[in-house]
Amino acid sequence: MIEFRDVSKQYPDGTTAVDRFDIVIPSRKTTVLVGSSGSGKTTLLRMINRMVDPTAGAVLIDDEDVAGIEPVRLRRRIGYVMQNSGLLPHRSVVDNIATVPRLTGASRAQARARALELMDTVGLDRALAKRYPSQLSGGQQQRVGVARGLAVDPNILLMDEPFSAVDPIVRTDLQQEVLRLQRELHKTIVFVTHDIDEAFLLGDQVVILATGARVAQVGSPAEILAAPADDFVADFIGAKKGKRRLEVASRRDDDLVLADSAGFPVGLLARSQAYSVSDKTAQAGDA
Ligand SMILES: Nc1ncnc2c1ncn2[C@@H]1O[C@H](COP(=O)(O)OP(=O)(O)O)[C@@H](O)[C@H]1O
Ligand SMILES: [Mg+2]
């Protein structure tokens, strides 16, 4: 469990990026922080692994204040995946991934073996192991980034807009991959995005943020869709644009119960299919 207790962050230039943020992030589930650019998402994420320290309040992991944990040690327990994958350009794919286990003391052979296993985990063909990052597609690079994030076998995985730079079809694939990984690995994932559809697809818990990381609403996708807290949320999720003809009425295990705009249940949807339906819904709304 990760807990933000009345956390604020003011940068030295006076910008208040986060203003009194309070939330509990449950273990072994995916929590998505969603908000417009500049709402403080990256700042929040980086306060978990101490790339940024709060100016007030505390961040706790399993009741331990991270302020008392040495940053390097903390980061070895927490995976971090960035938008631009953060790969080292002059190292091969396998070496990029192996760097992380090497840092934690694995031998060169052990680290490479582990890196190849991780390529399997994230759906990368081992034939790509010797290539350099520039010889991979954007989607493949992001998969390497995810493999690096998983390389220390962390309980917590932080993902900062990891798929926003890839094209929509590849993004759909990568999103499905995250759902599959989460079914298999059960990590505590904190995922940041500005895309509400991505948030609803991936999140067990979704936190909608306004400027200063003000919490506009927190809940399951079904709860937020069923009852947007205010006009800001309604607007953000597109409820007013008539975009969502089908809504997620509830969730049974991994399935979503869909209802039409009058609230009548129209079907059950396996979560693995959810993206294509939300896509169709959006298109129907746009037409
Ligand atoms: N190092 C920094 N120094 C000063 N202001 C910053 C710094 N990093 C972020 N900010 C500001 O803090 C606010 C939140 O930024 P950020 O956490 O990056 O938001 P998001 O990830 O949601 O786009 C923005 O106004 C941004 O300009
Ligand atoms: Mg950001």
Side-chain angles (χ1 to χ4, degrees), residues 38-276:
S39 54
K41 306 180 296 296
T42 295
T43 302
L44 288 174
L45 206 64
R46 291 182 170 192
M47 288 197 281
I48 298 171
N49 68 359
R50 294 200 62 194
M51 289 167 76
V52 171
D53 284 322
T55 38
V59 179
L60 297 93
I61 297 177
D62 295 333
D63 297 319
E64 185 181 6
D65 190 336
V66 298
I69 308 174
E70 209 263 311
V72 173
R73 197 162 70 81
L74 189 66
R75 280 172 223 153
R76 284 185 189 159
R77 287 170 30 187
I78 299 178
Y80 184 58
V81 185
M82 296 178 271
Q83 178 175 350
N84 56 12
S85 80
L87 301 181
L88 306 165
H90 302 300
R91 291 206 184 168
S92 65
V93 166
V94 67
D95 285 341
N96 258 286
I97 304 169
T99 309
V100 183
R102 284 290 275 162
L103 286 175
T104 56
S107 72
R108 200 175 147 79
Q110 281 169 338
R112 287 193 148 221
R114 174 87 184 116
L116 291 170
E117 275 171 31
L118 283 160
M119 289 183 71
D120 300 339
T121 305
V122 301
L124 273 174
D125 192 332
R126 287 185 180 209
L128 301 173
K130 295 272 168 58
R131 291 213 196 161
Y132 290 90
S134 63
Q135 298 169 316
L136 300 179
S137 70
Q140 289 167 336
Q141 289 180 25
Q142 286 310 112
R143 284 176 198 262
V144 179
V146 175
R148 275 169 62 101
L150 292 170
V152 290
D153 195 23
N155 292 326
I156 297 172
L157 186 61
L158 310 178
M159 305 182 83
D160 194 353
E161 310 219 23
F163 309 143
S164 56
V166 296
D167 69 65
I169 292 173
V170 174
R171 192 181 315 147
T172 303
D173 271 359
L174 292 167
Q175 288 166 341
Q176 292 304 330
E177 208 66 26
V178 168
L179 288 172
R180 179 185 66 77
L181 282 172
Q182 184 62 327
R183 276 195 297 272
E184 289 171 9
L185 304 176
H186 301 290
K187 303 286 182 191
T188 304
I189 297 180
V190 190
F191 191 104
V192 161
T193 181
H194 60 264
D195 176 349
I196 189 67
D197 290 315
E198 184 166 74
F200 283 157
L201 176 65
L202 299 181
D204 296 300
Q205 169 170 271
V206 173
V207 183
I208 299 182
L209 299 170
T211 311
R214 181 181 69 80
V215 177
Q217 189 164 6
V218 50
S220 68
E223 285 163 354
I224 294 172
L225 276 164
D230 56 22
D231 282 354
F232 174 82
V233 175
D235 204 38
F236 195 79
I237 69 177
K240 284 184 177 162
K241 294 177 197 141
K243 230 179 157 185
R244 294 186 185 280
R245 296 273 171 82
L246 289 180
E247 301 197 336
V248 178
S250 64
R251 202 144 134 194
R252 280 204 325 227
D253 298 324
D254 238 11
D255 294 329
L256 302 173
V257 179
L258 296 180
D260 66 16
S261 51
F264 292 107
V266 292
L268 261 182
L269 181 71
R271 200 142 74 118
S272 57
Q273 301 165 343
Y275 194 86
S276 58

Side-chain angles (χ1 to χ4, degrees), residues 8-11 13-20 38 211-213:
S8 297
K9 174 65 188 182
Q10 195 168 37
Y11 284 107
D13 69 355
T15 307
T16 301
V18 171
D19 191 17
R20 311 200 65 172
T211 311

